[in-house]
Amino acid sequence: MATLKSLKSALVHKATATESSLKQPLSDTQYSAGFDILLQGLGWITYQDFIIPQLSQLLAPLFDSRTHISVLEIGPGPQSVLGYLPGRLRRKVKRYVAFEPNSLFATSVEEFLCSTSETDSPLPCLESPPDIHRIPFALNRKTESGTGTGTHESEEKFDFILFCHSMYGMKPKAKFIERALEMLVERPEGGMVVVFHREGTLQFDGLVCHRTAASFPTGAISIANNDEVLDCFAPFLAGFVMQGVEADKAIRVEWRKLAKRYGGLHPTCDYIAGADGTGAIVDGEQGG
């Protein structure tokens, strides 16, 4: 059974080796469709059996030591994973800020967090509405306001900062972690940056990781052996489509073949691929 990393490498290599049009970034709709496929079926098990339990265990001492918690989430996707933590932890969150450049995800996570029923709300004790910045998390300090009314100098500090979705598109990753460390509340309280990623060992480039969670090698995703589904998932994993109708059509045929060869066929006719996940924690003291 191939890993997502090895399949991604094969998809990218196939497109690079093909004499065709230039690569084109995924639209918000294309990325959203691929992400939905990733989370279906076995894909959610990675969150249910690894990310959510690990996060709950890691955050309990920090959250229990304070009456209120401010959170910054980088790339939450369509729903914040914080909404699935135990209730006693969720009730400690008084301030929630996120950077989510995908407009579909930004709208979805805002709706997810803005339930009018306190019993149904993922974060029932927020003191103000969630602040969703519809732009990428940047290394500089200037950020657009969540309402899109301009820019301001961001000096807000947070108790907890979460990178949950592989730090997609952030290079070099260590610099973005350093930027997050600068945004933690200062000692004596201190704060914590948590990173979950899927692509092997994360290079910290001189930063000291306070703790690394065990990997989740048994994690897997299940994708229907269906051309339409594979045509959504392969570009999502590769990170691009090809410009030009004919070039894009040709590479999708090759990508389907690769996906089936790397994943094999499950008896139920689902495509299976390993989804190794790991976690790392960097706190304000250890990470400087």
Side-chain angles (χ1 to χ4, degrees), residues 27-264:
S27 67
D28 285 356
T29 300
Q30 289 168 329
Y31 188 90
S32 178
F35 189 79
D36 286 345
I37 293 171
L38 181 69
L39 289 189
Q40 291 173 7
L42 293 178
W44 178 247
I45 299 299
T46 301
Y47 286 81
Q48 180 179 293
D49 291 355
F50 179 69
I51 292 178
I52 294 171
Q54 287 286 339
L55 197 56
S56 300
Q57 181 182 16
L58 296 173
L59 294 182
L62 176 69
F63 280 41
D64 289 345
S65 68
R66 302 180 194 188
T67 58
H68 65 276
I69 294 288
S70 58
V71 174
L72 171 62
E73 188 167 9
I74 313 299
Q79 294 186 346
S80 172
V81 70
L82 299 180
Y84 297 93
L85 297 178
R88 67 181 182 85
L89 300 181
R90 292 188 285 111
R91 286 189 290 271
K92 287 291 186 78
V93 179
K94 308 297 185 180
R95 171 79 171 136
Y96 178 90
V97 180
F99 284 87
E100 179 48 74
N102 185 303
S103 61
L104 299 178
F105 287 171
T107 298
S108 179
V109 73
E110 189 169 31
E111 292 174 349
F112 174 69
L113 294 173
C114 287
S115 171
T116 56
S117 170
E118 183 172 318
T119 57
D120 295 334
S121 176
L123 301 177
C125 297
L126 289 177
E127 296 177 345
S128 59
D131 188 3
I132 313 297
H133 299 285
R134 296 170 181 248
I135 56 174
F137 180 61
L139 293 177
N140 58 48
R141 291 176 178 268
K142 289 187 179 297
T143 62
E144 291 184 11
S145 66
T147 58
T149 56
T151 61
H152 65 278
E153 193 76 8
S154 177
E155 296 289 354
E156 187 172 4
K157 300 292 185 178
F158 300 91
D159 299 291
F160 170 57
I161 299 177
L162 175 64
F163 295 86
C164 194
H165 292 126
S166 301
M167 302 184 71
Y168 183 79
M170 299 182 193
K171 296 180 180 179
K173 290 178 170 50
K175 293 297 183 183
F176 285 90
I177 295 174
E178 286 179 350
R179 175 69 188 105
L181 288 168
E182 294 173 355
M183 300 174 70
L184 290 177
V185 294
E186 298 176 357
R187 297 294 176 178
E189 294 88 357
M192 180 185 294
V193 173
V194 174
V195 180
F196 284 94
H197 63 103
R198 293 187 177 91
E199 298 185 357
T201 302
L202 182 61
Q203 299 300 320
F204 286 98
D205 295 337
L207 296 175
V208 179
C209 181
H210 177 62
R211 177 178 172 186
T212 300
S215 64
F216 189 57
T218 58
I221 60 170
S222 174
I223 300 172
N225 183 24
N226 173 281
D227 287 353
E228 183 177 351
V229 173
L230 292 176
D231 282 351
C232 285
F233 180 69
F236 165 78
L237 192 57
F240 58 87
V241 293
M242 304 303 289
Q243 291 182 3
V245 174
E246 292 305 316
D248 190 56
K249 185 184 297 184
I251 197 60
R252 285 173 189 260
V253 170
E254 297 302 319
W255 278 352
R256 286 178 216 148
K257 295 176 183 176
L258 280 172
K260 294 176 182 181
R261 186 165 78 243
Y262 270 69

